[in-house]
Amino acid sequence: QVRLVESGGGLVHPGGSLRLSCAASTSIFSIYTMGWYRQAPGKQRELVATITSGRSTNYADSVKGRFTISRDNAENMVFLQMTSLKPEDTAVYYCNALGLSTSSWGQGTQVTVSS
């Protein structure tokens, strides 16, 4: 299992931006597919974006063109740059590390988009 710690959440106005960070405690970070998921109140957890070890990315349709996932293998970090935020982006955002036989989750960070 990988210990993951998210940061960067907060309250932002519609149209604003936030950058989420996730720090991973593993010496083999580069092999993991890293992802961001979110869960809004009363809803199931959903995929936001993933990035593979080869830096291939995948995004939910709802965030394409607005969110960008990236990773820094030297620092064992993954990031989610969020722009043009909407109220419907309000959720707890979770970092995920997917290995060959493991899936680890962080504790989550709250993002609230409200005027």
Side-chain angles (χ1 to χ4, degrees):
Q1 293 293 317
V2 178
R3 182 170 180 264
L4 302 169
V5 179
E6 302 99 333
S7 60
L11 172 65
V12 63
H13 293 308
S17 300
L18 278 177
R19 188 191 194 211
L20 304 183
S21 300
C22 173
S25 63
T26 174
S27 60
I28 52 172
F29 175 78
S30 62
I31 73 169
Y32 287 92
T33 290
M34 301 300 297
W36 287 97
Y37 292 72
R38 66 187 181 187
Q39 187 167 17
K43 295 187 177 181
Q44 290 188 332
R45 191 172 297 187
E46 64 176 4
L47 169 74
V48 176
T50 61
I51 184 167
T52 68
S53 58
R55 299 181 188 274
S56 294
T57 58
N58 179 55
Y59 295 92
D61 287 343
S62 59
V63 307
K64 282 180 181 176
R66 300 188 299 122
F67 292 9
T68 303
I69 190 170
S70 61
R71 65 191 297 162
D72 183 339
N73 288 342
E75 298 293 330
N76 289 1
M77 299 282 293
V78 64
F79 307 99
L80 186 68
Q81 179 67 49
M82 305 185 293
T83 63
S84 301
L85 283 160
K86 306 174 180 179
E88 51 263 43
D89 295 318
T90 295
V92 178
Y93 284 70
Y94 296 91
C95 180
N96 175 264
L98 182 64
L100 290 178
S101 58
T102 61
S103 180
S104 303
W105 295 91
Q107 82 288 348
T109 185
Q110 177 70 47
V111 171
T112 302
V113 184
S114 175
S115 55

